[in-house]
Amino acid sequence: MANGTIAATGKAAEVDFYHVKGRHKGILSWLLTTDHKRIGLMYLVFIIFFFLVAMTIGVLMRLEMLSPGETIMKPQTYNSLFTLHGVIMIFLFIIPAIPAVFGNFIMPIQLGAQDVQFPKLNLLSWYLYIIGGALAILSLFSGGGIMDTGWTFYVPYSVRTTTNVSLSVFAAFVLGFSSILTGINFIATIHRLRCPGMTWFRMPLFSWALYATSWIQILATPIIGITLVLIILERALGIGVFDPTLGGDPLLYQHMFWIYSHPAVYIMILPAMGVVSEIIPTFARKPIFGYVPIAISSLAIALVGYLVWGHHMFSSGISDTSRVIFSLLTFFVALPSGIKVFNWVATLYKGSITVSAPMLYVMLFIFIFSIGGLTGLVLGALNTDLHLTDTYFVVGHFHYVMFGGMGIIFFASLHYWFPKMFGKMYNEKMAKFAAYWIGIGFNVLYFPFFIMGYLGMPRRYYDYLPEYQIWHIISTVGSWILVSGILLMIANLISGLKSGKRTTDNPWGGTTLEWTTSSPPTLENFEVLPTVTAGPYDHTKIHGQEENK
Amino acid sequence: MSNHIEHAEEIHEIHIHRDDFGSRMGLWLFLLTEILLFGGLFLLYAGYRYIYPDGFIAAATELDVLLGTINTIILLTSSLTVVLAIVALQKSNKKLSMFFLWITVACGLLFLVNKYFEWGAKFHHGIYPKGPALQNMSEGEVLYFGLYYVMTGLHGLHIVVGLAFIGFVMWQIHKDIITSTNFQKLENSGLYWHLVDIIWIFLFPLFYLIH
């Protein structure tokens, strides 16, 4: 069997976790649950909701940029929309998405555990996420109007503007708290709840990636927490720390903001890299190439990624010495990412590859993420950055690594673990068609950003010179293709959920422990705690494959 | 069918396991995040002290070292009593343990009262953000007091949270939920209380002693 010998027998006797009769019925069986699987699914619903909201805002922004001058909205509305798009996407979608949904649902099962270490704390994290989201929505309809600072809340503007900054910033603070508690929970889970025989280096790479992510979450998030509190206090009381008229230095704000927000991009991308390391061996029918380097490179990214925040401030007026050091460290952080990409490609080499929908998304990811990574080096180099900073080039890079990295892999995870989570299968043909469509739309939408940016189109501008229009038109058309692809994908998944064919326990031939449980899993995941005797990617004996063929 | 569900319930009972080490680990990780939360403020303090050395020295003379010293002694004592409470409970002396916890709570409250008078005096003299006296002071002094209020205020908030935590633990000791064989929550509340203490150990010299 997978992962060595697993002493599980007669599991068909138990009902899955959806149908277990607990203490509460109906909606309360969800709202008061401490089951990691139910909490993961509750995250999923709201994360997709917020993603769709922010996506809609993005489409409206692209529509506005179709022609110079006013197209469908006023400048102030545009300022609010790009702020909202960033805040919702980052704090309510990208940061929590993979850890909160799949980390919660899959990670404990991968470890052979029955739940996370602190199940009640896990539910509290979810409530904090919901409260944070609710406050963010409330801030739209109260105070002095929708925040217009951009998602970076740079002072002194965020202290001066009359829009509703305080409440939105407080919402981000609450979301940060949720993120910290999830991080603590996951670290404790990985330390304490691995099943017998699962040594650190027999742990699946998705769990490794979450481990590294959780460390960044607890090491970086408190800094943004206090920074956001200081913005609120600065606005309310005028304490002076970020207000230049009182002697405060806005540069210190930028430092504190990026001490969190740069590591945060690794909070966003590391879990996605973990998912890729799961999907590739499954669909290449090969053990992963370079297991240890991939595991260690996650930790290396977490460590070095903590030390490169200054590259967001190359043009802010920091000293030349610190600029050179930050630039050098930025190049270093590309190394562990490169290690991962090479190991993934090496795993595919001579593999017997099946291009199912999850694998298709992963290949799309490798293509897009490579472009995103290489353009990152262009921005990490001092001289080119001074030309490209604050242009669409940066926005293009960011969307290639974040949406192309984390977003695309979120879609991949949805398809990969869909049969495990719901016990049903979506329409494969439609899923692949949507993946191609998304791939085309993505590149048509964001590639012109690089060209425009290189030609000098500044980011966050409402208006532009007519010579940029052709690129804006291509990009806006791309946004329609991308959005139709995403909607098609979601519709396909929903129809799979409603009327999909029942699936087996291990439809892909996965080798990690979650594929040894029933689909959907039972309440406690395993009838008898599994014992692991080998590494996670042994394809010689795959659980459940006999019954499939 | 009902048999199967009962079986699921059985496992569910086993599943509620006790893991003192894990619980302690979770709290240590949380303490790490608290240190980083204050770390951001210490970073600002360092930055502004470097930019405005004279203003910081001038402002520091405004604080009452005696009151600060008394508060330091009070907090250190409370850290001792919370440890004694743990030892007492480990030796199954519930009454003594509760006694030490009451002293801890009293110390915490006394600290807050002192802080109230300290802040009150400053407010009375117009030294508060946008206050009449502070507006006429130099930029360094404005920032010093800005940080002073934020850092001691946040610390005071942590004292309140710590007291609530200890109060909750006392209630559970009273109800015999926390006992001599199951005292991890008491130990965790003690650890949290020590953190609050340690942060003050850094705040005290930075604001009161360095002239």
Side-chain angles (χ1 to χ4, degrees):
Chain A
M1 272 181 212
N3 254 4
T5 320
I6 294 146
T9 44
K11 68 173 161 36
E14 243 193 288
V15 289
D16 63 63
F17 75 97
Y18 294 103
H19 295 98
V20 167
K21 285 206 181 98
R23 245 184 306 169
H24 305 283
K25 285 202 175 97
I27 189 80
L28 283 184
S29 72
W30 290 88
L31 293 178
L32 297 175
T33 186
T34 53
D35 181 2
H36 65 103
K37 297 180 287 295
R38 284 182 179 237
I39 293 175
L41 289 175
M42 291 198 294
Y43 270 115
L44 180 64
V45 171
F46 284 92
I47 276 168
I48 289 189
F49 166 74
F50 283 117
F51 171 73
L52 290 177
V53 170
M55 183 186 82
T56 311
I57 294 171
V59 172
L60 292 175
M61 283 158 61
R62 277 317 321 158
L63 211 54
E64 167 55 39
M65 297 311 276
L66 197 56
S67 65
E70 186 180 328
T71 313
I72 56 164
M73 63 183 79
K74 298 279 181 216
Q76 182 60 28
T77 315
Y78 185 77
N79 290 349
S80 295
L81 285 193
F82 74 65
T83 305
L84 274 182
H85 174 77
V87 169
I88 296 177
M89 276 294 187
I90 286 174
F91 293 105
L92 287 156
F93 172 65
I94 310 183
I95 288 180
I98 292 181
V101 179
F102 300 104
N104 259 320
F105 197 107
I106 299 295
M107 190 263 284
I109 313 182
Q110 273 197 336
L111 298 177
Q114 294 179 323
D115 207 321
V116 290
Q117 174 79 14
F118 309 116
K120 284 181 199 154
L121 192 70
N122 203 17
L123 185 62
L124 176 65
S125 293
W126 182 78
Y127 273 104
L128 287 173
Y129 173 80
I130 294 300
I131 292 169
L135 287 175
I137 292 173
L138 186 67
S139 77
L140 307 182
F141 306 107
S142 58
I146 304 172
M147 179 170 59
D148 60 349
T149 59
W151 78 276
T152 46
F153 319 121
Y154 266 24
V155 293
Y157 184 69
S158 59
V159 177
R160 295 285 142 67
T161 175
T162 55
T163 55
N164 200 0
V165 171
S166 297
L167 192 58
S168 332
V169 158
F170 184 66
F173 176 83
V174 174
L175 291 170
F177 207 13
S178 160
S179 177
I180 285 176
L181 294 182
T182 302
I184 291 175
N185 215 340
F186 282 6
I187 291 179
T189 304
I190 290 170
H191 273 274
R192 301 297 296 165
L193 293 183
R194 280 171 290 132
C195 66
M198 183 169 288
T199 57
W200 282 94
F201 287 103
R202 283 184 195 158
M203 200 162 76
L205 288 165
F206 178 55
S207 299
W208 261 111
L210 283 174
Y211 184 67
T213 310
S214 302
W215 271 110
I216 316 178
Q217 275 174 310
I218 66 168
L219 287 176
T221 318
I223 313 276
I224 193 82
I226 192 65
T227 312
L228 297 176
V229 168
L230 286 171
I231 290 184
I232 297 171
L233 291 175
E234 190 71 76
R235 284 178 68 87
L237 306 171
I239 47 173
V241 288
F242 291 144
D243 190 344
T245 57
L246 296 171
D249 190 347
L251 208 55
L252 270 173
Y253 169 83
Q254 293 186 20
H255 274 295
M256 287 180 64
F257 179 80
W258 290 114
I259 284 176
Y260 165 74
S261 295
H262 191 77
V265 307
Y266 299 106
I267 296 177
M268 305 171 199
I269 197 67
L270 272 174
M273 289 171 153
V275 176
V276 174
S277 309
E278 295 293 324
I279 292 179
I280 286 185
T282 301
F283 289 96
R285 291 283 177 277
K286 260 180 78 188
I288 190 112
F289 183 86
Y291 169 88
V292 175
I294 292 183
I296 298 295
S297 65
S298 289
L299 293 179
I301 288 177
L303 183 71
V304 184
Y306 201 68
L307 304 171
V308 300
W309 76 86
H311 67 215
H312 294 273
M313 301 165 61
F314 282 160
S315 60
S316 300
I318 57 175
S319 76
D320 281 343
T321 319
S322 41
R323 291 204 293 183
V324 171
I325 292 171
F326 277 124
S327 178
L328 183 69
L329 287 170
T330 303
F331 282 99
F332 282 156
V333 85
L335 291 177
S337 312
I339 287 174
K340 281 181 192 284
V341 174
F342 284 121
N343 279 312
W344 292 329
V345 177
T347 308
L348 290 174
Y349 178 66
K350 286 194 176 167
S352 106
I353 302 170
T354 325
V355 187
S356 303
M359 187 62 193
L360 195 58
Y361 278 108
V362 164
M363 297 197 322
L364 189 61
F365 159 84
I366 293 180
F367 174 74
I368 291 176
F369 188 74
S370 300
I371 297 177
L374 291 171
T375 51
L377 291 180
V378 176
L379 292 169
L382 266 180
N383 41 7
T384 38
D385 181 69
L386 291 183
H387 173 65
L388 294 170
T389 194
D390 268 336
T391 65
Y392 265 60
F393 195 90
V394 178
V395 185
H397 161 70
F398 190 72
H399 283 85
Y400 263 76
V401 285
M402 285 301 119
F403 190 0
M406 183 275 150
I408 296 287
I409 291 304
F410 180 70
F411 301 159
S413 321
L414 274 177
H415 287 87
Y416 183 56
W417 281 308
F418 187 90
K420 182 51 66 187
M421 294 167 101
F422 304 110
K424 292 183 180 171
M425 194 53 112
Y426 47 82
N427 181 328
E428 171 75 14
K429 258 189 192 154
M430 196 58 99
K432 280 164 99 168
F433 177 75
Y436 281 113
W437 202 233
I438 287 173
I440 294 167
F442 182 94
N443 286 292
V444 176
L445 167 54
Y446 294 116
F447 202 81
F449 281 27
F450 289 127
I451 302 168
M452 272 191 276
Y454 190 78
L455 296 173
M457 172 76 209
R459 72 193 284 200
R460 292 178 175 173
Y461 272 36
Y462 171 75
D463 202 357
Y464 55 84
L465 296 171
E467 58 254 45
Y468 296 118
Q469 193 177 9
I470 176 68
W471 304 112
H472 279 298
I473 290 175
I474 296 173
S475 173
T476 304
V477 170
S479 76
W480 300 334
I481 303 175
L482 179 60
V483 165
S484 53
I486 291 172
L487 293 179
L488 188 64
M489 178 197 80
I490 293 177
N492 183 38
L493 289 178
I494 290 176
S495 97
L497 194 61
K498 275 190 171 159
S499 51
K501 247 177 43 191
R502 274 216 61 83
T503 179
T504 54
D505 291 352
N506 189 5
W508 310 122
T511 55
T512 41
L513 282 180
E514 78 266 28
W515 301 111
T516 65
T517 61
S518 53
S519 300
T522 53
L523 179 66
E524 300 291 334
N525 305 335
F526 303 96
E527 191 127 320
V528 180
L529 274 190
T531 303
V532 163
T533 54
Y537 304 108
D538 182 3
H539 278 268
T540 49
K541 294 177 195 134
I542 297 171
H543 178 82
Q545 278 305 281
E546 310 79 42
E547 56 232 275
N548 273 344
K549 278 171 187 163
Chain B
M1 194 64 185
S2 64
N3 272 341
H4 305 146
I5 292 159
E6 269 169 37
H7 187 60
E9 292 290 340
E10 259 169 48
I11 296 183
H12 198 68
E13 291 305 313
I14 301 164
H15 165 67
I16 302 166
H17 68 298
R18 208 180 110 197
D19 180 4
D20 287 351
F21 185 91
S23 142
R24 196 156 55 235
M25 175 187 230
L27 194 93
W28 273 105
L29 291 170
F30 183 68
L31 294 187
L32 187 60
T33 69
E34 290 280 14
I35 288 174
L36 282 155
L37 186 80
F38 277 95
L41 290 169
F42 283 116
L43 183 76
L44 283 179
Y45 178 94
Y48 287 128
R49 191 175 184 95
Y50 177 76
I51 301 173
Y52 303 107
D54 299 335
F56 269 55
I57 289 168
T61 56
E62 301 269 343
L63 293 191
D64 188 343
V65 180
L66 181 67
L67 212 52
T69 313
I70 293 172
N71 259 351
T72 310
I73 293 168
I74 290 173
L75 267 197
L76 283 175
T77 312
S78 72
S79 252
L80 175 68
T81 53
V82 85
V83 175
L84 292 174
I86 297 169
V87 178
L89 193 72
Q90 280 172 336
K91 303 204 168 184
S92 304
N93 194 339
K94 183 175 153 187
K95 237 182 178 170
L96 188 65
S97 178
M98 286 296 264
F99 170 72
F100 281 127
L101 287 175
W102 276 117
I103 295 186
T104 311
V105 170
C107 285
L109 291 173
L110 198 59
F111 179 92
L112 289 176
V113 170
N114 275 345
K115 203 86 236 157
Y116 170 78
F117 282 117
E118 217 182 346
W119 276 32
K122 289 275 162 307
F123 272 63
H124 186 68
H125 291 117
I127 303 177
Y128 53 90
K130 291 183 174 162
L134 199 62
Q135 274 183 337
N136 294 323
M137 292 187 183
S138 72
E139 289 181 334
E141 285 166 288
V142 171
L143 288 171
Y144 176 93
F145 281 109
L147 285 170
Y148 167 76
Y149 281 117
V150 173
M151 292 172 89
T152 56
L154 190 64
H155 177 258
L157 193 66
H158 278 76
I159 297 248
V160 174
V161 173
L163 287 176
F165 196 173
I166 290 174
F168 171 74
V169 163
M170 285 169 78
W171 176 75
Q172 290 213 329
I173 294 175
H174 175 69
K175 292 270 167 200
D176 284 323
I177 300 168
I178 297 174
T179 59
S180 62
T181 50
N182 186 3
F183 52 83
Q184 190 52 47
K185 276 184 214 152
L186 173 60
E187 202 180 334
N188 280 358
S189 71
L191 281 171
Y192 186 83
W193 192 253
H194 291 325
L195 172 96
V196 175
D197 197 4
I198 283 171
I199 288 169
W200 177 257
I201 297 293
F202 282 88
L203 291 179
F204 176 56
L206 286 179
F207 282 105
Y208 292 78
L209 297 183
I210 309 179
H211 285 320

